[in-house]
Amino acid sequence: MQQIYVDLGKSSYPIYIDRGSLSRVGSILRGHMELSRAAIATNNVINKLYGDIVRDSLQSAGIETEIVEVPDGEEYKSLEWAGRIFDAFVEHRMTRQSSAIALGGGVIGDLAGFAAATYMRGIPLVQIPTSLIAQVDSSVGGKTAVNHPKGKNLIGAFHQPRFVLVDVDVLKTLPEREFTAGLAEVIKHGMIMDRELFGYMESNLSKILDLDMHSVEQIISRSCKDKATIVEQDEKEQNVRAILNYGHTVGHSIEAVTGYNSFRHGEAISIGMAVASRIAVNMEILEEECEIRQNHLLAGCGLPTTFPDLDIDKVMDTIYLDKKIREADRLRFVLPKDVGEAIIVETVTDDQIRNAISEVKRQ
């Protein structure tokens, strides 16, 4: 079992990466803390596939376990469904010596993480990501949140897990569109900080798309190391961690404007990266050749790189509700300088964003 350590002082934790590790979660959790109860938050799809395996492992370790099921979909990452998880925690007599287990993709990780962060002012959390996007990004770093109708992740808290358990084998049952969407976050890591990862994806794309487990494990491991490096430098996103939001300013707006049910998160981020790289080219920050490489790799994964037919005014209005806004209505825009290097720019104007969107629409 590979271990990647996220060094955050008292909040430090390991990321375990292996194959077939779901059945060992009970013994792993016992090695991290003494507890008698746990609640698994998952969705109806993942519950059918893996709920019993995880519950049996926990109960075999002497941990009384309940499963809290949430419908599958971004629209359920809401205060209403967080409330239902709170209800289940109360009914199961969860305390600060109990653990919440997030078994699912990014939606479940964020939703269960938010519930764990706020129930009794914080209880232990374990992340077991079952989608690629969660394994390489959202399960690592302690960000938890629910959506508001006017913006994505507007209500949330930082709450680091006790550990993250990545079982690469679960990706074999992941729908192709979900796997593809997850690749957007891997490409993002390559663009902002890891030229070698980007090159590896270019050279091994067919193996990755064919679910060659060795190749997939390589990109997961590399992405987790990249994410851990950034989180260690800036746990609460005060400065350098903001580069992880590459593609997210426009991507989150697309998700919100379309009601969170037209695009997978990674698909929206892919479009957001295409817009951000176009802004960077227009501002003469990025060479056009790098933009072409990025968009070619995104498209090679089956991800969108053209802007959808949406009202640009609505998109712009939603952008300014994004968490990345600063004083005086200045946006922090993450722009690439090269493959493997990005900067945070606060001088991007509305006209530059609109022009880039219009250009990406025409491609």
Side-chain angles (χ1 to χ4, degrees), residues 1-2 11 50 81 98 119 135 138 140 149 179 225 254 259 334:
M1 181 181 289
Q2 185 178 172
S11 299
Y50 304 116
W81 280 95
S98 307
Y119 179 75
Q135 291 179 349
S138 59
V140 179
F179 180 76
K225 288 177 182 176
I254 291 171
V334 182

Side-chain angles (χ1 to χ4, degrees), residues 132-183:
L132 180 60
I133 203 164
Q135 291 179 349
V136 301
D137 190 68
S138 59
S139 67
V140 179
K143 278 188 175 182
T144 74
V146 295
N147 297 331
H148 186 277
K150 292 188 178 294
K152 187 178 174 72
N153 296 335
L154 288 180
I155 307 163
F158 286 93
H159 190 58
Q160 301 294 344
R162 292 299 177 93
F163 64 87
V164 178
L165 180 64
V166 176
D167 187 336
V168 182
D169 280 346
V170 303
L171 298 178
K172 295 175 182 177
T173 59
L174 190 68
E176 182 179 354
R177 186 179 176 187
E178 295 291 347
F179 180 76
T180 298
L183 292 174

Side-chain angles (χ1 to χ4, degrees), residues 251-263 268 308-310:
H252 281 177
S253 181
I254 291 171
E255 289 182 278
V257 169
T258 57
Y260 303 109
N261 55 22
S262 296
F263 294 91
D309 187 19
L310 298 175

